[in-house]
C-alpha cells in the first residue's frame, strides 16, 4: 500500500490473476476455468475439482497459496451454492490461513439443507446485518415506493382464457348434479366438512357404514391435519356452496372465490377417498370426467392423485401483451414527472420468449411476447416511449430504434476508437454488430444510459437484474415471473443506489400484474405478485409494512381486487408515483428506529358507523363505569358521574353507549389483560391506532416483542370475529337505542340520572385463546373488559348456559367488521 494505507492513502487495486496488487478483484469464473468438455464433466463429477482446472485456474490457486495470509471477500456468495461452491470449499481447504467473508442479500431461511451445510462449511453461522428499512432510514440506500399496475388480458388472450373457463364451468355444473356419482360432490363435501363423522380407523363419511362411524372430528383438528383442504372448504362456504362447518371461523383468506388450487384439493380428496373406493361403474365415469376437466386449470389426475401440469392460462397471464402495454403507460407517467432525470430499467425473463411458447398458444401469444425484444419493439412503436430512446441490452444483443442504435454506435466509437460497429436494421429495430463482447457493451451502454442519452434500458434479469449497477436508476419495472427471494431482492436492489447527482432520489419499483376473472387460474399472476412481496418491507400509508399491503393497504394476499377497480387502482398508483417527496417523508430518513418487526391488525367496518372510532375518547371509561349491568343496576361510580353530567351530556353519553364500542376500547382491554397476566410489559398505553382515508382502522401494540405483538393482533382478531368454538364467552351489555321522540328520550335520561337504567341488550364475544386457559389469564381479561368495554362475567362454553349461547350465536359476528393481519416495521 506504499506505506500510506494506515494514513488514509489509496490502496492499489487490480484485476490480474497474479495478485500483483494489494487488492485484486476477480469474478468466480476466473477461478472456475475448465475446458468446455471437462467443465461439463466436473459439474456432474464427485471428484475433487481443483485437479480438473484449466492451467489458468491452477495458476490463480498457486498465486493465492504464495500470497501468504489473505482475506477473501466473496460478494453475492449465494452463487457459491452451485458448482462454484464446491470449488471454493476445496480452495479454502488449501488456504488454511485465509480469512473469509461472504456477502449476500439472500436470507438464510431460503436455503435447502444441503446449501445450509455448505454455508456452514464455508463461512460458519450467518450473521444478519441491518434490515433494508434500517439501511434506508440511515441514509445509505435510496428510499423507494412499491407500486403495481393491474391489467386484464388482451382481447385475443381473454377469448382463449374464456374458452378454457367455459369448459371448466360446464364440468363444474355437471359436478354439482347429485347424480354425478353415487355420492354427489356436494353431498361428499357436506359429510366431509360439515358432519365430519369418523371412525377409530379413520374411515371417512360415505365410505364406512353408519355403525362404524364415531364422534365428529373437531374443526381445529381438521385445520391442523389438512390446512389446504380446510381452507378450500371455507371458500366453498363463502361461495354459497357449503354450510359453515361447525367450529370454523371465517378469516381474511376465506373471503375469496375458490381458486384452482381449492378445486384441486377438493377434487383430489373426492377421488381418492370416495370415488376410487367405489365399485359403482358410474363412479368410474365420474373419475374420467374429472380427469378430462383438470388440464383446463393446469392439473392432471394421476394414479397417485392430482398433480400440477403446465398451465396455458398461467403462461398467457405471465407473458400477456397487456403487461407490455401497461409498461408503456408507466413510462409515460414517469417521464412526465421526471423529465430528463428519468432512468428506467425494464426487466424480462428472456431476450425472446419464442422458444418457450407452446404450439397450443401459437395463435394467442405472438412469438416474441413476454421477451425483452418484444418489450423494446412496443416502446419504440409508442410515440411517448420512443422519445426516451429505449435500448435493449442483453448478454447477446444491443439494439434500439435504428436512430437510437446509430447514435449509440457513434458515441461508442468516440469513447473507444478501436471499436468497429455497424447497425443492422431488421424488423424495424437496429441491432449493433461488431467485434466486441458483453463486458464491453454492458459497460458502454451503462455509461450511455447514465448520461441520459437513453433514459430506458430493457434487459433480462440474468444480466441487468443482479450485479449490475447504475446509480441513476429511479424506476424499475418488473415483467419477470421470478418469485424466489434472492432474485426479487436483487432486482429491487437495482434502483436503491444513492445518486450523487440527485441527493433526494426516490425510486419507484413497479410490478405489472395480469388478471383474468372467471377462470380458477385467473389469479395466478396475482399469486406471483404476492410471493414477490412476501417478507419484503416498504413504506406506505404512514408505516413500513411487509407484503403487498405496502403497495396498497387494501390489497389482500389471498385474492385480487375486482377488475372494475383496476382503473382506479392504476390511477392511484400513477398519482402516488409522482409524489416522491411524500414517499421520502414516509421513510423518515434520519429518524430513530428499533429495527424490529411488529404485527398490525386492520379493521374495516362493513357499514357506515362512527362508533368504531379509535381516537382516544374521554367518554370511553365513563361508558364502561356507568353502563347498566345484567340486572339493570348501574355499576361503578355512576353517582359521581351524575354530579357533573347535565341532562344534555347524559343524553350524549347514553347515545354513545347505545352504539358499538370504539374498536380502541377492545384493543385497550386486550393490551391491559396481556400486561396484567404477565404476557406483556406494556398495556393500553402502548396501543397505537390510526384511521386510513378509506375508513379502515389500523391498530398495533408498540414497544413489545414481535411474538407479543402477534398475540395482541390475533386476540383482537378473535374478539371481533365470528364465534366458532371458544372455551369461554364474554357478554357485552349495551343500552337500547335512545327513543327518537323527545319526551321519551327525556324520560330515559331522567331515569338513568335517578339510578334506574333502561333495558339492556347483550352481545357475546369469544374470549381470545390467549386468555381462555388458566384462571389468572381469564380473570385479567375479564377485569380489563369490565374496565374498557362492559360489565359482565365470562361464561364457560361447556356449561348449559354456554351451550345455549353457542346454539344461537355460533357463526355470528359480534361486530359488523372484517379484519386483516399484517406485519410492520418499527
Amino acid at each position: 500500500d506504499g506505506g500510506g494505507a494506515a494514513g488514509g492513502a489509496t490502496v492499489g487495486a487490480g484485476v490480474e490473476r497474479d495478485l500483483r496488487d494489494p487488492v485484486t478483484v476477480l469474478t468466480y469464473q476466473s477461478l472456475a476455468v475448465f475446458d468446455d468438455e471437462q467443465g461439463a464433466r466436473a459439474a456432474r463429477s464427485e471428484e475433487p475439482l481443483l485437479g480438473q482446472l484449466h492451467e489458468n485456474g491452477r495458476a490463480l490457486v498457486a498465486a493465492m497459496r504464495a500470497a501468504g495470509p489473505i482475506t477473501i471477500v466473496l460478494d453475492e456468495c449465494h452463487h457459491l451454492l452451485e458448482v462454484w461452491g464446491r470449488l471454493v470449499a476445496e480452495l479454502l481447504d488449501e488456504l488454511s490461513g485465509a480469512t473469509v467473508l461472504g456477502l449476500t442479500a439472500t436470507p438464510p431461511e431460503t436455503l435447502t439443507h444441503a446449501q445450509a451445510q455448505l454455508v456452514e462449511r464455508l463461512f460458519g453461522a450467518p450473521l444478519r446485518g441491518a434490515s433494508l428499512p434500517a439501511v434506508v432510514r440511515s441514509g445509505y440506500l435510496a428510499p423507494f415506493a412499491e407500486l403495481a399496475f393491474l391489467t386484464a388480458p388482451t382481447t385475443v388472450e381473454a377469448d382463449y382464457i374464456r374458452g378454457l373457463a367455459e369448459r371448466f364451468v360446464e364440468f363444474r355444473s355437471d359436478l354439482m348434479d347429485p347424480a354425478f356419482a353415487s355420492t354427489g360432490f356436494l353431498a361428499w363435501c357436506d359429510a366431509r366438512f360439515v358432519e365430519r363423522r369418523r371412525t377409530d380407523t379413520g374411515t371417512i363419511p360415505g365410505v364406512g357404514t353408519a355403525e362404524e362411524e364415531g364422534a365428529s372430528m373437531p374443526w381445529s383438528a381438521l385445520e391442523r391435519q389438512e390446512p389446504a383442504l380446510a381452507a378450500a372448504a371455507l371458500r366453498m362456504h363463502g361461495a354459497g356452496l357449503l354450510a359453515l362447518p361447525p367450529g370454523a371461523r371465517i378469516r381474511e383468506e376465506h373471503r375469496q372465490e375458490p381458486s384452482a388450487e381449492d378445486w384441486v384439493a377438493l377434487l383430489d380428496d373426492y377421488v381418492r377417498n370416495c370415488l376410487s373406493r367405489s365399485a359403482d361403474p358410474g363412479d368410474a365415469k365420474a373419475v374420467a370426467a374429472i380427469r378430462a376437466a383438470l388440464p383446463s386449470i393446469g392439473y392432471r389426475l394421476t394414479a397417485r392423485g392430482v398433480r400440477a401440469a403446465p398451465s396455458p392460462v398461467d403462461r398467457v397471464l405471465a407473458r400477456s401483451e397487456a403487461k407490455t402495454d401497461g409498461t408503456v403507460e408507466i413510462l409515460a407517467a414517469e417521464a412526465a414527472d421526471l423529465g430528463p432525470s428519468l432512468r428506467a430499467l425494464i426487466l424480462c425473463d428472456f431476450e425472446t420468449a419464442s422458444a418457450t411458447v407452446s404450439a397450443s398458444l401459437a395463435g394467442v401469444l405472438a412469438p416474441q411476447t413476454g421477451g425483452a425484444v418484444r418489450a423494446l419493439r412496443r416502446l419504440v412503436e409508442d410515440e411517448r416511449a420512443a422519445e426516451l430512446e429505449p435500448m435493449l441490452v442483453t448478454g447477446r444483443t444491443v439494439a434500439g430504434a435504428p436512430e437510437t442504435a446509430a447514435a449509440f454506435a457513434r458515441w461508442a466509437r468516440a469513447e473507444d476508437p478501436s471499436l468497429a460497429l455497424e447497425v443492422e436494421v431488421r424488423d424495424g429495430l437496429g441491432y449493433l454488430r461488431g467485434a466486441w463482447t458483453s463486458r464491453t457493451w454492458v459497460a458502454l451502454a451503462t455509461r450511455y444510459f447514465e448520461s441520459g442519452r437513453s433514459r430506458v434500458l430493457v434487459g433480462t434479469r440474468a444480466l441487468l437484474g443482479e450485479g449490475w449497477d447504475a446509480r441513476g436508476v429511479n424506476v424499475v419495472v418488473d415483467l419477470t415471473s421470478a418469485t424466489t427471494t434472492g432474485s426479487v431482492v436483487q432486482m429491487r436492489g437495482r434502483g436503491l443506489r444513492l445518486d450523487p447527482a440527485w441527493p433526494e432520489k426516490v425510486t419507484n419499483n413497479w410490478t405489472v400484474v395480469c388478471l383474468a376473472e372467471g377462470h380458477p387460474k385467473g389469479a395466478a399472476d396475482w399469486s406471483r405478485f404476492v410471493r414477490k412481496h412476501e417478507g419484503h418491507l416498504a413504506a406506505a400509508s404512514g408505516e413500513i409494512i411487509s407484503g403487498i399491503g405496502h403497495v396498497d393497504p387494501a390489497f389482500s394476499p389471498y385474492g385480487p381486487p375486482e377488475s372494475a377497480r383496476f382503473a382506479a387502482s392504476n390511477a392511484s398508483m400513477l398519482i402516488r408515483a409522482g409524489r416522491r417527496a411524500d414517499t421520502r417523508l414516509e421513510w423518515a430518513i434520519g429518524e430513530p428506529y428499533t429495527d424490529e418487526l411488529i404485527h398490525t391488525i386492520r379493521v374495516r367496518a362493513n357499514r357506515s358507523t362512527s362508533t368504531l372510532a379509535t381516537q382516544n375518547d374521554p367518554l370511553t371509561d365513563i361508558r364502561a363505569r356507568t353502563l347498566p349491568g345484567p340486572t339493570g343496576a348501574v355499576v361503578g361510580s355512576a353517582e359521581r358521574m351524575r354530579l357533573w353530567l347535565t341532562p344534555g351530556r347524559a343524553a350524549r353519553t347514553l347515545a354513545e353507549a347505545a352504539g358499538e364500542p370504539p374498536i380502541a376500547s377492545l384493543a385497550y382491554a386486550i393490551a391491559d389483560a396481556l400486561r396484567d397476566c404477565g404476557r406483556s410489559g406494556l398495556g393500553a398505553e402502548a396501543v397505537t391506532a390510526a384511521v386510513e382515508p378509506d375508513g379502515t382502522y389500523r391498530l398495533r401494540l408498540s414497544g413489545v416483542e414481535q411474538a407479543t405483538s402477534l398475540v395482541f393482533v390475533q386476540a383482537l382478531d378473535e374478539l371481533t370475529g365470528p364465534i366458532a368454538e371458544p372455551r369461554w364467552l364474554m357478554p357485552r351489555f349495551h343500552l337500547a337505542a335512545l327513543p327518537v321522540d323527545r319526551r321519551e328520550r327525556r324520560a330515559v335520561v331522567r331515569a338513568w340520572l335517578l339510578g334506574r337504567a333502561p333495558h339492556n341488550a347483550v352481545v357475546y364475544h369469544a374470549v381470545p385463546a390467549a386468555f381462555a386457559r388458566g384462571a389468572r389469564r381469564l380473570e385479567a381479561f375479564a377485569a380489563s373488559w369490565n374496565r374498557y368495554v362492559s360489565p359482565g362475567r365470562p361464561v364457560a362454553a361447556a356449561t348449559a348456559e354456554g351451550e345455549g349461547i353457542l346454539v344461537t350465536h355460533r357463526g355470528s359476528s359480534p361486530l359488523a367488521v372484517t379484519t386483516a393481519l399484517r406485519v410492520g416495521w418499527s
Side-chain angles (χ1 to χ4, degrees):
D1 62 9
T10 301
V11 176
V15 293
E16 300 300 327
R17 286 190 179 93
D18 58 12
L19 309 186
R20 67 183 68 172
D21 296 294
V23 175
T24 301
V25 181
L26 299 170
T27 64
Y28 293 124
Q29 291 95 325
S30 63
L31 171 65
V33 182
F34 301 94
D35 293 328
D36 289 344
E37 184 178 344
Q38 189 175 9
R41 288 200 307 268
R44 298 189 300 267
S45 173
E46 295 299 324
E47 299 178 8
L49 296 176
L50 284 180
Q52 303 181 55
L53 290 178
H54 184 275
E55 60 179 335
N56 290 340
R58 292 198 298 271
L60 175 57
V61 173
M64 296 176 77
R65 287 198 194 100
I70 60 174
T71 297
I72 303 175
V73 180
L74 302 168
D75 194 20
E76 308 291 5
C77 64
H78 55 278
H79 286 300
L80 299 180
L81 305 180
E82 308 303 331
V83 64
W84 289 337
R86 288 175 49 206
L87 180 59
V88 171
E90 293 179 19
L91 172 64
L92 297 182
D93 289 340
E94 297 278 327
L95 305 173
S96 58
T99 300
V100 183
L101 175 65
L103 306 175
T104 181
T106 301
E109 58 267 19
T110 64
L111 304 178
T112 66
H113 178 68
Q115 290 171 336
Q117 286 184 317
L118 182 55
V119 167
E120 178 70 25
R121 179 182 173 188
L122 291 173
F123 312 112
L127 299 176
R128 287 186 179 272
S131 68
L132 178 61
V135 180
V136 173
R137 184 165 288 189
S138 298
Y140 296 111
L141 290 178
F144 60 94
E146 293 290 344
L147 305 166
F149 196 92
L150 308 182
T151 69
T154 65
T155 302
V156 173
E157 296 164 354
D159 288 343
Y160 173 78
I161 293 173
R162 192 177 301 112
L164 293 178
E166 288 173 356
R167 277 186 246 167
F168 188 77
V169 168
E170 291 172 2
F171 161 73
R172 195 170 60 189
S173 177
D174 293 339
L175 183 68
M176 299 299 140
D177 188 338
F180 179 74
S182 61
T183 300
F185 176 71
L186 291 180
W188 169 261
C189 289
D190 185 69
R192 183 79 160 91
F193 303 111
V194 180
E195 296 179 11
R196 298 198 302 280
R197 308 297 293 180
R198 65 175 182 181
T199 69
D200 292 338
T201 59
T203 302
I204 296 172
V207 177
T209 64
E211 292 77 17
E212 291 175 319
E213 294 180 0
S216 174
M217 174 188 289
W219 180 259
S220 58
L222 181 64
E223 273 196 316
R224 186 170 56 255
Q225 294 173 12
E226 302 180 271
L229 198 59
L234 293 185
R235 282 188 278 271
M236 288 283 284
H237 165 72
L241 298 173
L242 185 69
L244 180 67
R249 183 166 175 270
I250 302 298
R251 296 184 290 273
E252 179 189 3
E253 59 264 37
H254 306 133
R255 296 190 289 269
Q256 309 291 336
E257 286 292 318
S259 66
E261 291 75 17
D262 294 328
W263 284 107
V264 164
L266 295 167
L267 289 171
D268 183 56
D269 183 72
Y270 183 43
V271 170
R272 286 188 299 105
N273 295 315
C274 181
L275 299 182
S276 64
R277 300 188 182 190
S278 170
D280 191 315
D283 290 348
K285 291 182 179 179
V287 171
I290 292 172
R291 179 177 285 107
L294 284 175
S296 66
I297 58 172
Y299 291 87
R300 56 192 175 90
L301 180 59
T302 72
R304 293 181 295 176
V306 180
R307 297 291 183 266
S311 169
V313 172
D314 191 2
R315 186 163 296 181
V316 169
L317 296 175
R319 300 176 185 171
S320 172
E321 185 77 9
K323 298 176 78 167
T324 312
D325 294 339
T327 302
V328 171
E329 299 305 318
I330 291 169
L331 291 179
E334 293 281 17
D337 178 54
L338 293 177
S341 299
L342 173 66
R343 300 291 183 273
L345 173 66
I346 301 172
L347 294 172
C348 304
D349 285 316
F350 311 98
E351 179 178 317
T352 174
S354 59
T356 59
V357 175
S358 65
S360 64
L361 297 177
V364 181
L365 294 176
Q368 295 180 342
T369 299
V373 172
R374 178 56 189 160
L376 173 67
R377 189 179 304 281
R378 181 68 183 87
L379 298 181
V380 169
E381 292 170 351
D382 186 272
E383 291 184 3
R384 299 166 297 172
E387 293 180 355
L388 306 176
E389 303 288 337
M391 286 180 56
L392 171 72
V393 180
T394 72
R396 297 185 306 171
T397 306
V398 179
E403 300 81 4
T404 301
F408 176 69
R410 290 192 298 270
W411 179 88
R413 285 194 294 265
E415 293 290 305
D416 185 352
S418 67
L419 289 176
L421 300 178
E422 295 181 354
V423 176
E424 176 188 341
V425 178
R426 190 172 69 249
D427 297 329
L429 295 179
Y431 295 83
L432 278 89
R433 299 287 183 254
W436 59 346
T437 65
S438 60
R439 171 179 287 188
T440 300
W441 72 59
V442 169
L444 287 170
T446 301
R447 283 155 50 196
Y448 192 75
F449 170 71
E450 290 211 282
S451 71
R453 292 173 173 84
S454 169
R455 288 183 276 166
V456 179
L457 287 189
V458 183
T460 59
R461 62 183 173 90
L463 183 69
L464 301 186
E466 179 176 350
W468 173 80
D469 289 317
R471 293 178 295 183
V473 173
N474 47 43
V475 172
V476 178
V477 182
D478 181 4
L479 297 179
T480 75
S481 58
T483 60
T484 60
T485 302
S487 295
V488 173
V489 168
Q490 292 293 335
M491 287 189 290
R492 284 196 179 97
R494 298 315 97 204
L496 302 189
R497 296 288 188 268
L498 297 178
D499 184 0
W502 185 17
E504 301 299 308
K505 170 184 168 179
V506 174
T507 295
N508 287 336
N509 290 327
W510 288 89
T511 306
V512 185
V513 187
C514 188
L515 301 160
E517 287 187 334
H519 192 285
K521 203 72 173 179
D525 214 35
W526 182 267
S527 298
R528 267 190 294 273
F529 169 58
V530 170
R531 294 197 298 274
K532 286 174 183 284
H533 289 264
E534 281 180 350
H536 181 64
L537 292 153
S541 301
E543 62 176 344
I544 297 173
I545 55 178
S546 176
I548 61 172
H550 57 226
V551 180
D552 185 334
F555 282 175
S556 170
Y558 305 107
E562 297 176 353
S563 59
R565 292 178 51 196
F566 287 7
S569 175
N570 292 341
S572 175
M573 293 289 165
L574 292 172
I575 291 171
R576 184 180 165 206
R579 294 176 175 169
R580 281 178 162 81
D582 292 345
T583 297
R584 190 172 185 86
L585 286 175
E586 286 183 332
W587 279 99
I589 308 298
E591 293 188 10
Y593 56 87
T594 57
D595 200 11
E596 296 176 348
L597 295 179
I598 189 168
H599 292 267
T600 300
I601 184 170
R602 301 178 75 251
V603 183
R604 183 180 179 87
N606 294 339
R607 54 181 170 78
S608 178
T609 175
S610 62
T611 58
L612 290 175
T614 60
Q615 288 84 354
N616 293 332
D617 183 352
L619 293 179
T620 296
D621 198 44
I622 297 173
R623 273 198 301 275
R625 292 204 306 269
T626 63
L627 209 55
T631 62
V634 176
V635 299
S637 52
E639 190 61 37
R640 286 181 306 193
M641 296 302 105
R642 295 192 194 93
L643 293 178
W644 66 268
L645 280 174
T646 65
R649 283 177 176 170
R652 287 194 297 273
T653 301
L654 291 178
E656 281 286 319
E660 304 288 7
I663 197 67
S665 296
L666 304 179
Y668 297 156
I670 290 172
D672 269 7
L674 288 173
R675 180 199 61 201
D676 294 345
C677 68
R679 302 195 67 179
S680 171
L682 299 171
E685 73 280 2
V687 172
T688 60
V691 183
E692 295 177 359
D694 66 351
T696 299
Y697 309 115
R698 188 176 70 240
L699 302 102
R700 62 168 54 173
L701 187 62
S702 302
V704 297
E705 294 182 354
Q706 183 180 355
T708 304
S709 72
L710 176 59
V711 172
F712 169 78
V713 298
Q714 288 177 333
L716 188 53
D717 185 43
E718 295 175 60
L719 192 62
T720 57
I723 294 174
E725 296 290 342
R727 294 174 63 89
W728 295 87
L729 296 149
M730 181 63 76
R732 171 168 56 85
F733 298 95
H734 65 90
L735 301 176
L738 291 179
V740 176
D741 182 82
R742 183 174 298 179
R743 290 185 179 182
E744 294 179 9
R745 181 185 294 264
R746 287 176 178 173
V748 170
V749 173
R750 187 179 301 111
W752 183 78
L753 288 171
L754 293 174
R756 297 192 295 272
H759 174 69
N760 293 284
V762 62
V763 175
Y764 287 92
H765 294 251
V767 173
F771 308 107
R773 293 181 181 272
R776 181 188 175 195
R777 293 181 179 181
L778 183 62
E779 187 56 39
F781 176 74
S784 290
W785 184 263
N786 295 160
R787 184 181 311 128
Y788 290 106
V789 183
S790 167
R793 297 295 303 164
V795 179
T799 64
E801 180 185 3
E803 290 177 355
I805 294 170
L806 283 178
V807 167
T808 57
H809 290 76
R810 182 184 282 114
S812 65
S813 184
L815 294 173
V817 300
T818 54
T819 58
L821 306 188
R822 300 290 184 261
V823 178
W825 180 83
S826 173

